[in-house]
Amino acid sequence: MAGHSKWKNIQHRKGRQDALRGKIFAKLAREIYVAAKQGDKDPANNTKLRLAIAKAKAQNMPNENIERAIKKAAGGNSSEQYEQITYEGYGPGGIAVMVEALTDNRNRTAADIRHIFSKRGGNLGETGCVSWMFERKGLLVLDRSEVNMDEEELLLLALESGAEDFETTEKAYEITTAPEKFEEVKQALEEAGLTFTTAEVTFIPSNKVHVQGEIIKDVFNLIEALEDHDDVQNVYTNFDIDDDELARYV
């Protein structure tokens, strides 16, 4: 899961997540609104809405923002209609890129995404060209400095509650689950007093492409441009970078 976790670390180092917090909250609110609009307004009866709320809370989105998005969907007065579209393509160095968008104008968004790819050394491909390289998994990331138990105890708790994999990095513990086990594992860890920096069902690459040198900057520029687009909700990639290379370019 190098592409996912390292990109999160890069964002923190560059201060991008704080700088873009308002935009992040707006995108999360849109995701919650669409989930509530398309299904039950009660998270207990709407899995998609529960997952959207879990993702928002992991980003420290205020409860009032979450409630406002659900009430907006329940009100029925909004004329906003969003369509979920996934774009697939290749970036610099041959990395695979998947982009999930929520848009009210399919033609505008498609043209924008194509332009971003072509301007930054990538190319937009056909549906299915890279999605086979990714697996849908639940991902729970914990800041090691905030975990109130030792690693062995956490590992045992995660596995006993149904996790598939457990990985330790320099600053975090990363726990992966089958999508259907995500909420069960998350709840077990929460009951143990743990909180997450990331809690979502996401796409994790099954194979990775190593990038180095100047291509690293090109990869970062493409991902940043995609994430900055108002209609883009998530960007998934399969790049991997050595830590010493990462320190040199960030």
Side-chain angles (χ1 to χ4, degrees):
M1 63 188 86
H4 187 287
S5 58
K6 286 197 175 177
W7 179 243
K8 294 295 184 185
N9 291 338
I10 291 160
Q11 287 179 313
H12 281 299
R13 287 194 198 185
K14 298 179 74 173
R16 276 181 53 76
Q17 284 199 317
D18 290 336
L20 296 175
R21 191 151 300 277
K23 178 171 280 191
I24 291 170
F25 285 173
K27 292 185 177 190
L28 290 168
R30 181 183 292 188
E31 195 168 330
I32 291 168
Y33 167 81
V34 170
K37 188 84 171 175
Q38 295 177 347
D40 198 299
K41 309 305 182 283
D42 183 353
N45 303 319
N46 186 335
T47 301
K48 189 174 181 180
L49 180 56
R50 285 201 306 275
L51 293 175
I53 291 172
K55 183 176 175 182
K57 287 185 174 180
Q59 289 288 339
N60 297 315
M61 185 172 175
N63 285 332
E64 61 186 42
N65 294 39
I66 295 171
E67 292 167 4
R68 190 183 305 126
I70 296 173
K71 287 179 181 177
K72 181 180 177 182
N77 297 321
S78 176
S79 60
E80 295 178 5
Q81 297 291 332
Y82 293 107
E83 181 179 5
Q84 184 167 337
I85 305 174
T86 300
Y87 302 95
E88 302 179 37
Y90 295 92
I95 67 168
V97 184
M98 285 177 52
V99 181
E100 288 182 339
L102 285 174
T103 178
D104 58 359
N105 187 323
R106 169 190 282 262
N107 293 333
R108 178 200 67 218
T109 304
D112 288 351
I113 299 302
R114 187 178 299 279
H115 178 70
I116 291 171
F117 268 92
S118 62
K119 188 177 180 180
R120 290 168 177 80
N123 61 283
L124 193 62
E126 298 296 325
T127 300
C129 68
V130 302
S131 56
W132 60 273
M133 302 182 195
F134 295 83
E135 294 181 287
R136 193 157 181 80
K137 297 287 184 183
L139 178 64
L140 297 161
V141 181
L142 303 95
D143 186 328
R144 289 183 63 176
S145 65
E146 297 182 1
V147 173
N148 58 2
M149 62 180 69
D150 62 40
E151 182 176 334
E152 187 175 343
E153 185 181 1
L154 176 59
L155 169 62
L156 186 60
L157 175 60
L159 294 178
E160 286 183 343
S161 59
E164 285 187 348
D165 196 15
F166 182 98
E167 184 176 337
T168 302
T169 67
E170 182 182 349
K171 294 185 178 181
Y173 296 117
E174 299 182 352
I175 298 166
T176 54
T177 76
E180 61 273 14
K181 282 284 188 178
F182 171 77
E183 292 183 86
E184 185 178 334
V185 176
K186 178 175 175 288
Q187 183 177 348
L189 297 180
E190 284 177 333
E191 289 174 354
L194 299 167
T195 57
F196 314 100
T197 57
T198 298
E200 61 186 349
V201 175
T202 184
F203 283 98
I204 293 176
S206 52
N207 56 51
K208 301 163 190 170
V209 173
H210 187 76
V211 294
Q212 58 187 354
E214 291 297 322
I215 292 177
I216 294 173
K217 291 183 180 179
D218 297 333
V219 168
F220 292 173
N221 287 337
L222 172 62
I223 299 174
E224 286 182 358
L226 289 169
E227 289 194 336
D228 284 348
H229 193 283
D230 288 341
D231 294 341
V232 172
Q233 295 296 117
N234 302 293
V235 178
Y236 308 106
T237 70
N238 69 339
F239 74 86
D240 191 21
I241 303 172
D242 291 337
D243 289 339
D244 57 344
E245 288 274 291
L246 184 60
R248 188 181 310 162
Y249 286 93
V250 178

